[in-house]
Amino acid sequence: MTAILELHDVSKTYEQGNEKLTVLDHVSMKVNPGEFGAILGPSGSGKSTLLSIIGALTSPSSGEVKMNGRNVHNLNEKEQTSLRLKEVGFIFQQSNLVPFLTVEEQLVFVGKLNKQGESLRKRAGELLSHLGMAERLSHYPEQLSGGEQQRVAIARALMNEPRLILADEPTASLDQARGKSVVELLAKETKDRNIATIMVTHDETMIGYCDWVYRMT
Ligand code: ADP
Ligand code: MG
């Protein structure tokens, strides 16, 4: 089985003036298709830093990140941009929807960036109805609840058929019940599509849905 993600001894030290802050110290992990993993730890423990290194948004100080067999941080800028667009789906604490685009347009927009040939509106419609948002295609983000906005963010993350979803505290702005339903949805999509999802959270109650937990201190 080809791993979707492999980390070998990933370390990260931030330097500010004479101060050195080691946030990640030799982190290694292997993530296979169908796995829903959680990264758990208190605020400031380096969870977001780890996720952004995995998603090629930040460079590690040392170590190796392999996605779908390729060393992410050896790629040039253009290849990294393409990898972020096609191989990874990002979900953040706030849904980060574009205020002036409708629900359907949010998805079509990221599809266009990827220049897919298929009918983007058709795929957007299918994904949104699959995630229970069929009646909201023409709504704008401000007309949606927080939970609905996160559903759209999940649909958008799936739009370009990534093999890996990275979710940074996707339930932090939701109440417990809505947070649970978002995590259930992520778990289900991960299994159904045989992709991998890594979710950063500080909510212990969410780990029941996960296949593994990586704890940071
Ligand atoms: P978490 O997501 O677990 O709350 P972060 O990864 O955001 O943690 O941050 C871990 C530590 O690294 C914090 O102490 C933070 O202040 C520091 N940090 C994060 N980003 C930077 C940066 N770009 N430059 C310097 N320090 C940073
Ligand atoms: Mg964080």
Side-chain angles (χ1 to χ4, degrees), residues 44 47-49 168-169 200:
K47 305 182 298 296
S48 294
T49 300
D168 196 348
E169 310 227 25
V200 160

Side-chain angles (χ1 to χ4, degrees), residues 14 16 21 23 41-50 168-169:
Y14 288 116
Q16 274 177 337
L21 177 68
V23 180
S43 180
S45 59
K47 305 182 298 296
S48 294
T49 300
L50 180 57
D168 196 348
E169 310 227 25

Side-chain angles (χ1 to χ4, degrees), residues 23 47 49 54 68 105 110 118 190 202 217:
V23 180
K47 305 182 298 296
T49 300
I54 293 171
N68 302 317
E105 287 164 351
V110 297
E118 69 174 299
T190 303
H202 55 241
T217 47

